[in-house]
């Protein structure tokens, strides 16, 4: 597609394995189908929003609407870039990069989904490193943050491999009960000290204004 009116569609972030890009409608439909198939064990819920409680078709529709809404509601001041992650040409799930008042705070936050069949192979680390590279190297971010359930060791493990340090706990509500999340954060210096993934970016200059640059 021609990204003239929405330059973010021209953004490509690549590591030795996955490629990240904003999903066009066909790929967005594929993302919804992945969600229908499930992205975690049925006896656990690693997210603070219980969207997987819904029926499979409702779940797929919800993911489609959520990602499409994040594209439509994007602004340089407050937005979430929800990128499809492809490995060997196949969709493996998505990686989010968000920020609020980035021009003022210099901080981004990340979130990710990765299907069970692709976990434990280092892909999660590469896709998280990939989305952080344009934030730090291209847009001048000063810090990056993430959070995860304390009973979900995989996500914090990825963050720690990238250099993140514990940044306290927070409490959220899930299914009417409190759950505890571990916050993690790192700055530019720690990121540089822990860089191990080669990342290439294409199309960032064309969409700098979309990030407030």
């Amino acid at each position: 597609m021609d990204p003239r009116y929405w330059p973010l569609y021209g953004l490509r972030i690549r590591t030795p394995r996955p490629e990240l890009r904003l999903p066009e409608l066909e790929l967005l439909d594929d993302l919804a189908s992945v969600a229908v198939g499930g992205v975690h064990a049925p006896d656990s819920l690693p997210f603070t929003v219980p969207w997987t409680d819904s029926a499979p078709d409702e779940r797929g529709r919800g993911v489609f609407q959520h990602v499409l809404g994040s594209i439509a509601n994007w602004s340089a001041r407050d937005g979430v870039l929800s990128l499809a992650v492809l490995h060997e040409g196949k969709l493996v799930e998505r990686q989010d990069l968000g920020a609020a008042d980035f021009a003022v705070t210099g901080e981004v936050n990340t979130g990710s989904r990765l299907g069970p069949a692709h976990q434990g192979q280092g892909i999660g680390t590469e896709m998280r490193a990939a989305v952080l590279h344009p934030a730090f190297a291209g847009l001048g971010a000063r810090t990056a943050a993430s959070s995860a359930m304390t009973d979900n060791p995989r996500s914090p493990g990825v963050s720690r491999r990238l250099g993140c340090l514990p940044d306290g706990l927070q409490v959220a509500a899930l299914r009417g009960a409190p759950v505890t999340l571990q916050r993690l954060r790192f700055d530019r210096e720690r990121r540089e000290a822990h860089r191990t993934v080669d990342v290439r970016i294409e199309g960032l200059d064309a969409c700098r204004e979309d990030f407030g640059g």
Side-chain angles (χ1 to χ4, degrees), residues 74-203:
W74 173 270
S75 75
R77 182 176 180 181
D78 186 5
V80 175
L81 192 64
S82 199
L83 302 170
V85 181
L86 296 98
H87 176 227
E88 297 179 344
K90 296 182 180 179
L91 181 69
V92 297
E93 249 295 344
R94 76 177 201 259
Q95 173 70 58
D96 292 352
L97 178 71
D101 290 309
F102 175 74
V104 178
T105 67
E107 181 166 285
V108 297
N109 56 77
T110 64
S112 59
R113 310 281 188 272
L114 183 62
H118 306 286
Q119 294 176 8
Q121 304 172 36
I123 296 175
T125 300
E126 283 193 35
M127 62 195 236
R128 187 90 58 91
V131 82
L132 286 168
H133 190 68
F136 280 97
L139 301 170
R142 295 191 293 273
T143 56
S146 65
S147 62
M149 301 277 205
T150 53
D151 61 355
N152 173 23
R154 286 188 179 273
S155 181
V158 169
S159 297
R160 285 193 292 269
R161 282 192 290 276
L162 294 173
C164 281
L165 294 172
D167 189 47
L169 302 175
Q170 68 186 77
V171 178
L174 177 63
R175 293 171 173 164
V179 292
T180 304
L181 288 83
Q182 170 71 64
R183 295 197 306 264
L184 299 109
R185 176 178 278 104
F186 69 168
D187 58 18
R188 176 182 292 273
E189 183 178 353
R190 282 195 63 83
R191 178 200 172 255
E192 288 299 323
H194 290 78
R195 279 187 62 189
T196 59
V197 179
D198 178 41
V199 183
R200 293 162 290 139
I201 310 170
E202 175 186 326

Side-chain angles (χ1 to χ4, degrees), residues 58-70:
E58 293 177 10
R59 188 187 314 155
R61 184 178 178 87
V63 167
F64 192 99
Q65 288 181 298
H66 171 74
V67 177
L68 192 61
S70 71

